[in-house]
Amino acid sequence: MAMEFRFEATQEHQLAAIEAACALLEGQPHVRSELVVPDGASFSAIANRLDVSSDDLLKNLQSMQGEAGFQQDSELKAIAGEIDTATGSREVRFPNFSVEMETGTGKTYVYLRTAMEFYKRFGLRKFIVVVPSVAVREGVLKTLKVTENHLKALYDNPPYRYYVYESANLSQVRQFALSDGLEVMVMTIDAFARAENVIRQTTDRLQGERPLHLVQATRPVLILDEPQNMESENRIAALASLNPLFALRYSATHRNPYNLIYRLTPFEAYRQGLVKRIEVASVIEENNQNLPFLRLDEIKIQAKRPVARLAVHKLMASGAISETVLTIKGEDDLEKKASRTEYQGFVVEEINYGGKFVRFANNVELRVGQATGVEKEAIFEAQMRYTLEEHMRKQARFRDDGIKVLSLFFIDKVDNYAAEDGVIRQLFDRIFEEVKAGHPEWKERKPEEVRSAYFASKTKKGGATEYLDTTGKSKADEEAFNLIMREKEKLLSFDEPVSFIFSHSALREGWDNPNVFQICTMREVGSETERRQQVGRGVRLPVNQDGARIRDERINVLTVVASETYERFVSELQSEIEAEYGREGAPPKPANARKKTKLTLRKAHMLKPEFKQLWEKIKHKTRYAVTIDPGKLIEGVLPDLDAAEIRKPRIAISKAEVIASDKDTFEALTQSGARTAIDLAGRYPLPNLIEIMENLMENTSPPMRVSRRTLLEIYRRSKSRDAALENPHEFATVAVGFIKARLADQLVDGIRYEKIDEWYEMTQFEAEIETWADYIVPSTASHGAGGTHIYDGVPFDSETIEKPFIEALEKRKDVKLYIKLPSWFRVATPVGDYNPDWAIVMEDPDGGDDLLYLVRETKGSLNPDDLRPDERRKIACGRRHFAEALDVNYRVVTNASQLPSGGV
C-alpha cells in the first residue's frame, strides 16, 4: 500500500495563522454567488466581492497587530498598477497582507485552509496561487493533491477544484470565471507577466476575448507564495493586472512584509519543536582556510604604473557568485571590489612588474599564473565522503523507526554532475562504492540506482521565459523530475532506492522533503538569504512509512555539510536571521557536528537514597478530568456578546438568469434586469447557526468543544438574536471568540489530576546520550562526587536561561542531586503533552534533616502574560499534576537564586 501523508488539523501555530487572515475580514457577510457582466463586455463571470470598507480593514489589521505585539500600520499598504480591462484601461490598487512562517512549518497547508475558511465563512470562491518558479509550483501542486481528501473531509466536502494554469488549455480560465464552487488556480508569475503571454492575447476560443479579462472579472484573492521573488516593477504590474480583491503573502524571508498579520519566528519554531535542529560539519582546506579564490592572470604597465588582472569570486547583483576578472591597482580593496567579506584584508600593497607578483596587506603573495582556494575537488571529496558516511549511519539507526533518510547536494555547476565526465558524479560513484563496504544494507546497491538530480533550465517561447521541468527530454530526466518533484511518497518509501538528490539552485526554495537529514553545500553562498533558503529544504519534521510525523528530538537533526568554516557558516546564518527578527527571534546557533560528545549515565547516582526517593515521588503517571460549569460559562460569555456590535450585511446583489450550457460552465441568458437589494435578511434560507459555531469551536485555535445545548442557550439568552438572524456568520465568529476565552480559563481552573497505577521506569534512562559539546555544561562540581547531575554533563537549549541555571546548580553545596528531565518524561494535558525541565534534591534551608524534592520549570519571565497561551496552560496543568496529585513542590523560576536558600 502506498504511503499517505497524515495531516494534523489542530496545530496551534497553523490555526492561529488561519484565524489571523479571517480576522482581517471581520464584518464581512457571507456573500452568495452572483453572475457579473462587466459593462460592454461579451462575457460573464461569478466574482468575489468584499463588502468590508478600507477603514474597517485597517481597524481590523491594527487590532490584530496590537494583540500580536507588532508595530501597527497607519495605513493599508497596497500595490497599484495600470491595467487593461475589457472596458478600457484604469488604475487598480489592492491591499497586501503578510504571513511570515518559518520554513517547514506548513505555510502551504495554512494558505489552502485559509482559502477554505474564506469560502465557508465569507463566500469568497476564486483564488489564484502565484508562484515564482516550477519548483515552487510543483510543491504547491503536490500539497494540493495530498491534502485534497483531508480538506474535503474537514470542510464537509465543498465544491472544490484546483489546477495549474496552462496556456494550451484556456477552458480552465472559462471554468475559473463561471464556476460557482471554490476554485484554486496555480500560476507561475512568468505565465502572465509579459505582453507576449497567451493569457493577454485575444483568442477565438473565447469569442475574441482575452483570457486575462475573464480572470479580472472574478476579482480573485491572490495568494503569493515566496513573494520576495515578485518585487520587480514588471512583476508588481503583472500582479495588479489580475485585478485582485486583495493579496495574502506567505514566506519565511519576506523582503517587504506588507501589513504583517502573523509571524512565526525561527526561535518560536525551534522552541515549539516544529522543525529539526541544525548541526554544521565544516569541510575546509587545511592550513589555508582563510584564503578565498584568487588567480593572478597578468601584470602589465598601464598609464606608467603597474596594474594586475586578477580573477575573484564576485557577488553579483542577482545574488549569484561569479568568477570575475578585475583590473586592480595599488591600494585597491578586494573586499569592496568583490562585494564579499571573504576578501577582508586583501588590500593591494604591492604590484611588482619585474618580479611578477602581487602582495596584499595580510602578507599573502601571489605570482602570475598562481591561484589559491582552488582545491575544489579535494574539498568536494571530503564533503561527499562525510555526507555518505553520515547518511548510512543515520539510515541504520532510523530504519527500525520506519524512516528513510535522504541527502540533498547543492553543487557549483550543473555540468559537474550532468556531463558524462562530471567531476561530482564521478566522485559520488567512486566514494559510494568505497563507503558502502562498511554498511551491509548498501552492499547490493549500485551508485546509479541511489542518486538522482533536478536542474531547472530556461528557454524562450513566445517572447517569455519558461522554466523547463527537466534538463532534457530523455525518459530518465522525466522520471527524475517526477520522483523528486511530484512523487514524494514514492521517494520516501524503502522500496525506492534513490536516496541522494543533486541540484544547483532550482530546489533552493519552494521544494522540500521532510526526510532530508543531510544538506551538502558544494557551492559558494551567494545572496544574503541563501543559507536560510538552503537549510530550509531540510528542516521539516520527518515522517515514517505510515506518513506520520516523528517528534523525537534525538532523530530530528539536520546536518549541514558546508565548504566553509563552521564559525563563518553559523555567523552568517545567525546574521541573516537576526537581521530579520533581532537576537530574540533567532534560535540557538547550530551546533558543530564535528564536536559531538557522549554523556554517560552515572549509575552510582541512581543507587543513592535521595535519587530513589526523588524518583518515587515524581515517577507516577496521572489521568485528568476537566470540569466545565456550563452555567458559569454562559454567564461569563453573555455580557461580552451583548456588548459586541454584530454588523448588518452591507451588500448589493446583481441578478441575472443563467442556463447551464454544459456540465462545467454557465452562459448568461439575459444581461438586463439586474436589481439591487440592500438587506439580505430573510432572502435566503438561514444556515444552521449552531453548526457554524461548532465548526468554529473545533477548527480555530485552540480547538475546543462545548455541548450543543450550551451553544443553544447562549444564542437563546443573547440580546443579539435578531442580529444573528441577519448576519449569522459574524454572530458565530464573535460568539466563539468570547466562548473560547472564557472556556480557556475554566479549562485550567477546573482540571483535576489523579495518580494511576502506571509510572516511568528508571531503566528508561539511556546509558549514553550523544549530543554536541558546544551545548553541554560539564557536571564536575568540586563538592560532589564528580558532580550532582545524573549524567556527567547537562545539555541545554538556551544560553541565557538554562545554561546559567545549570552552572549555578553545579556550584551550590545545598544541591544534592538534580536531573534535566528527559523528553520521554511527559505529563498529559488537554492542550498537549508537557515536558517539565528539572527535578532537584536539596538540603532543607531551615536546617532540618529532611531533604527537599522539587520540580522546577525555567522561563525568561515569571509573568504568565509573557508566555504563549499553550505554555501558560501546560504550566498550570503541570502544577496541578505535581502539587495536587503527587504532592511534589512545583514552581516556575527564572534563575537558581529563586530556589530555597540554604548553604551556598
Side-chain angles (χ1 to χ4, degrees):
M1 181 181 294
M3 175 194 297
E4 289 187 12
F5 289 115
R6 300 183 188 178
F7 295 92
E8 301 172 35
T10 57
Q11 291 195 76
E12 182 175 345
H13 71 285
Q14 295 177 343
L15 294 178
I18 295 165
E19 196 59 32
C22 291
L24 268 177
L25 303 188
E26 183 178 344
Q28 166 78 7
H30 187 279
V31 178
R32 295 184 178 270
S33 65
E34 58 177 285
L35 196 65
V36 175
V37 182
D39 293 339
S42 60
F43 60 86
S44 57
I46 292 177
N48 288 330
R49 193 181 66 238
L50 187 64
D51 293 326
V52 179
S53 69
S54 295
D55 289 342
D56 285 339
L57 273 178
L58 180 58
K59 289 178 183 177
N60 292 343
L61 172 68
Q62 291 172 333
S63 175
M64 287 191 308
Q65 290 177 330
E67 291 177 7
F70 303 153
Q71 181 176 348
Q72 292 178 308
D73 288 304
S74 59
E75 62 180 0
L76 288 179
K77 295 173 184 174
I79 284 179
E82 187 79 16
I83 71 170
D84 173 40
T85 71
T87 56
S89 297
R90 62 181 176 85
E91 185 184 65
V92 63
R93 294 179 61 84
F94 61 98
N96 281 238
F97 304 97
S98 296
V99 174
E100 198 160 278
M101 295 179 66
E102 181 62 355
T103 300
T105 57
K107 67 178 175 62
T108 309
Y109 177 84
V110 163
Y111 66 62
L112 294 180
R113 276 196 62 177
T114 299
M116 289 283 187
E117 288 290 337
F118 278 6
Y119 176 73
K120 181 174 183 177
R121 297 192 198 185
F122 311 119
L124 299 177
R125 61 196 70 227
K126 304 298 173 69
F127 299 88
I128 299 179
V129 179
V130 184
V131 299
S133 68
V134 166
V136 181
R137 183 196 73 190
E138 292 300 320
V140 173
L141 185 61
K142 184 62 183 179
T143 302
L144 281 162
K145 288 180 179 178
V146 298
T147 59
E148 182 175 4
N149 292 334
H150 167 79
L151 293 177
K152 284 184 175 181
L154 196 61
Y155 288 93
D156 197 23
N157 200 31
Y160 168 46
R161 282 184 290 203
Y162 62 86
Y163 37 86
V164 171
Y165 164 78
E166 296 174 344
S167 59
N169 186 8
L170 295 182
S171 63
Q172 291 176 331
V173 178
R174 183 187 294 274
Q175 172 184 296
F176 183 81
L178 292 172
S179 170
D180 189 38
L182 174 56
E183 299 283 327
V184 178
M185 183 159 61
V186 184
M187 305 179 74
T188 59
I189 186 76
D190 287 331
F192 62 94
R194 298 174 181 270
E196 298 85 355
N197 289 130
V198 170
I199 197 171
R200 295 177 179 271
Q201 309 303 313
T202 59
T203 173
D204 291 340
R205 286 178 286 173
L206 296 175
Q207 291 76 50
E209 194 52 72
R210 290 179 173 86
L212 182 62
H213 292 166
L214 272 72
V215 174
Q216 291 170 348
T218 68
R219 299 303 314 276
V221 173
L222 298 189
I223 296 173
L224 309 184
D225 196 324
E226 307 293 356
Q228 68 273 11
N229 296 308
M230 307 176 198
E231 297 283 4
S232 69
E233 184 177 341
N234 179 61
R235 291 187 166 192
I236 288 175
L239 295 173
S241 74
L242 298 178
N243 193 29
L245 211 57
F246 57 87
L248 297 175
R249 310 167 70 90
Y250 291 81
S251 179
T253 53
H254 285 285
R255 186 181 302 174
N256 295 307
Y258 299 79
N259 300 319
L260 185 65
I261 61 173
Y262 178 79
R263 167 174 279 171
L264 178 69
T265 67
F267 175 70
E268 283 297 327
Y270 172 89
R271 186 170 68 169
Q272 296 180 45
L274 303 176
V275 292
K276 294 189 186 93
R277 293 176 293 164
I278 302 170
E279 64 178 13
V280 180
S282 175
V283 178
I284 56 174
E285 187 176 347
E286 292 293 338
N287 303 319
N288 196 26
Q289 59 184 269
N290 296 314
L291 295 184
F293 172 73
L294 293 169
R295 187 184 67 243
L296 183 55
D297 291 341
E298 182 183 16
I299 295 178
K300 60 183 181 179
I301 300 297
Q302 186 173 300
K304 298 183 178 180
R305 61 184 298 183
V307 296
R309 286 172 51 79
L310 186 72
V312 299
H313 283 169
K314 184 177 180 180
L315 177 62
M316 312 304 287
S318 65
I321 299 292
S322 177
E323 183 177 313
T324 305
V325 177
L326 305 174
T327 298
I328 62 169
K329 57 185 183 299
E331 300 183 355
D332 276 350
D333 187 342
L334 294 191
E335 182 181 5
K336 294 179 180 178
K337 286 268 190 180
S339 303
R340 298 184 67 201
T341 57
E342 288 82 349
Y343 291 93
Q344 185 177 15
F346 283 84
V347 178
V348 178
E349 187 170 273
E350 179 183 358
I351 301 177
N352 192 305
Y353 180 75
K356 300 298 181 184
F357 68 84
V358 173
R359 187 170 65 249
F360 299 93
N362 58 6
N363 291 322
V364 173
E365 195 171 286
L366 202 62
R367 296 189 175 277
V368 171
Q370 186 181 1
T372 66
V374 295
E375 298 299 324
K376 283 188 177 182
E377 188 167 335
I379 293 175
F380 286 171
E381 179 172 354
Q383 285 184 276
M384 190 87 69
R385 190 174 299 277
Y386 185 95
T387 303
L388 266 64
E389 289 278 12
E390 186 72 6
H391 181 113
M392 293 181 187
R393 284 193 296 266
K394 283 185 180 177
Q395 186 59 85
R397 290 201 301 269
F398 300 167
R399 177 168 284 278
D400 289 344
D401 295 295
I403 299 171
K404 179 182 174 182
V405 173
L406 300 177
S407 291
L408 176 61
F409 295 84
F410 285 108
I411 66 175
D412 62 337
K413 294 179 181 179
V414 174
D415 283 347
N416 278 347
Y417 180 92
E420 287 298 322
D421 59 347
V423 60
I424 288 177
R425 176 155 47 172
Q426 290 183 344
L427 272 175
F428 178 87
D429 291 356
R430 174 170 62 82
I431 295 170
F432 179 82
E433 292 289 358
E434 295 170 0
V435 171
K436 76 176 187 180
H439 300 272
E441 69 174 299
W442 296 90
K443 283 187 177 181
E444 301 303 317
R445 291 296 184 190
K446 298 178 181 178
E448 58 270 21
E449 293 178 325
V450 300
R451 57 170 167 77
S452 190
Y454 170 60
F455 306 108
S457 58
K458 299 180 182 180
T459 186
K460 291 285 186 179
K461 183 177 181 181
T465 302
E466 294 190 354
Y467 288 79
L468 298 179
D469 291 347
T470 60
T471 54
K473 296 183 179 180
S474 70
K475 183 178 180 181
D477 286 331
E478 293 177 5
E479 289 176 348
F481 175 79
N482 287 331
L483 179 64
I484 294 170
M485 306 301 293
R486 295 174 174 168
E487 299 175 340
K488 285 187 179 181
E489 299 94 332
K490 180 180 178 182
L491 183 58
L492 291 175
S493 169
F494 285 136
D495 294 332
E496 170 55 54
V498 170
S499 301
F500 303 91
I501 301 168
F502 290 81
S503 185
H504 178 251
S505 57
L507 302 181
R508 194 175 63 202
E509 60 187 7
W511 179 93
D512 61 27
N513 191 294
N515 287 21
V516 170
F517 283 92
Q518 288 76 233
I519 292 179
C520 184
T521 59
M522 306 173 76
R523 62 190 299 267
E524 295 192 66
V525 177
S527 66
E528 60 183 12
T529 60
E530 189 170 337
R531 279 180 183 81
R532 283 189 68 198
Q533 291 169 347
Q534 288 182 344
V535 168
R537 300 317 99 211
V539 296
R540 192 178 297 274
L541 296 184
V543 298
N544 61 20
Q545 296 298 291
D546 294 325
R549 293 281 175 205
I550 302 298
R551 302 189 183 277
D552 188 333
E553 63 182 21
R554 296 171 301 174
I555 291 175
N556 296 340
V557 178
L558 172 67
T559 304
V560 180
V561 185
S563 57
E564 55 188 322
T565 65
Y566 163 77
E567 290 77 13
R568 178 169 170 262
F569 184 95
V570 170
S571 173
E572 294 294 331
L573 180 63
Q574 293 296 101
S575 294
E576 291 172 14
I577 298 174
E578 289 178 15
E580 179 71 20
Y581 300 102
R583 293 193 65 182
E584 69 282 356
K589 68 180 183 180
N592 191 336
R594 291 192 177 277
K595 293 175 65 178
K596 287 185 178 179
T597 188
K598 289 185 178 180
L599 303 180
T600 303
L601 180 66
R602 290 166 166 157
K603 295 181 180 179
H605 279 37
M606 301 181 74
L607 300 177
K608 291 182 177 181
E610 53 263 40
F611 176 79
K612 290 182 178 180
Q613 183 64 22
L614 172 66
W615 198 250
E616 184 61 33
K617 283 180 172 289
I618 69 172
K619 72 178 183 180
H620 291 278
K621 297 182 181 180
T622 58
R623 63 184 172 205
Y624 65 83
V626 179
T627 303
I628 299 296
D629 183 340
K632 183 179 178 181
L633 175 65
I634 294 167
E635 294 299 331
V637 169
L638 284 173
D640 294 332
L641 183 57
D642 290 343
E645 178 187 5
I646 311 297
R647 290 172 286 192
K648 292 184 178 181
R650 303 180 302 277
I651 61 176
I653 297 183
S654 299
K655 289 187 175 179
E657 296 182 39
V658 298
I659 59 171
S661 61
D662 55 44
K663 183 178 179 180
D664 296 318
T665 64
F666 299 89
E667 298 290 349
L669 181 64
T670 176
Q671 297 179 1
S672 61
R675 62 189 182 86
T676 300
I678 302 296
D679 188 353
L680 273 182
R683 180 175 297 274
Y684 300 106
L686 183 68
N688 190 317
L689 178 64
I690 303 306
E691 284 187 1
I692 296 173
M693 294 172 71
E694 285 180 324
N695 185 270
L696 287 173
M697 290 291 296
E698 294 182 23
N699 293 298
T700 56
S701 177
M704 297 179 179
R705 286 186 180 184
V706 296
S707 71
R708 175 167 286 206
R709 178 178 296 180
T710 299
L711 296 177
L712 279 167
E713 187 67 10
I714 289 172
Y715 166 72
R716 188 184 67 79
R717 293 174 56 183
S718 171
K719 295 177 181 178
S720 302
R721 289 194 305 276
D722 291 342
L725 294 175
E726 293 174 343
N727 198 343
H729 286 270
E730 176 153 343
F731 176 87
T733 300
V734 173
V736 165
F738 292 134
I739 293 170
K740 284 196 168 184
R742 297 294 182 179
L743 194 57
D745 295 336
Q746 283 203 33
L747 185 70
V748 173
D749 294 341
I751 196 167
R752 294 292 181 268
Y753 283 90
E754 64 176 356
K755 189 190 303 184
I756 62 176
D757 195 25
E758 295 179 20
W759 53 82
Y760 292 108
E761 300 284 357
M762 286 191 289
T763 54
Q764 291 180 249
F765 283 95
E766 298 179 72
E768 286 187 334
I769 299 175
E770 185 177 67
T771 186
W772 299 290
D774 291 342
Y775 284 99
I776 65 163
V777 173
S779 181
T780 56
S782 58
H783 63 275
T788 49
H789 190 257
I790 194 171
Y791 285 89
D792 58 8
V794 192
F796 62 86
D797 292 327
S798 166
E799 294 198 29
T800 58
I801 300 173
E802 287 193 355
K803 184 179 181 181
F805 185 79
I806 298 166
E807 291 171 337
L809 292 184
E810 287 290 326
K811 293 176 182 177
R812 289 184 63 147
K813 295 180 180 179
D814 55 350
V815 174
K816 306 295 290 182
L817 184 145
Y818 71 102
I819 311 167
K820 182 172 187 181
L821 291 167
S823 60
W824 47 260
F825 190 97
R826 294 182 173 271
V827 177
T829 85
V831 290
D833 287 348
Y834 165 56
N835 174 218
D837 286 337
W838 312 97
I840 306 169
V841 183
M842 296 184 64
E843 294 175 352
D844 188 340
D846 296 329
D849 293 333
D850 292 338
L851 297 175
L852 301 180
Y853 299 91
L854 315 175
V855 173
R856 291 295 183 263
E857 181 74 24
T858 44
K859 293 294 180 186
S861 170
L862 296 179
N863 185 352
D865 292 337
D866 293 336
L867 302 177
R868 291 180 291 109
D870 66 323
E871 281 187 306
R872 186 169 63 247
R873 293 169 186 143
K874 286 180 180 180
I875 286 172
C877 292
R879 184 177 290 110
R880 295 286 178 86
H881 165 87
F882 285 108
E884 296 182 5
L886 304 186
D887 193 26
V888 173
N889 186 303
Y890 174 94
R891 296 283 188 279
V892 177
V893 298
T894 59
N895 56 68
S897 67
Q898 293 165 352
L899 295 173
S901 180
V904 178

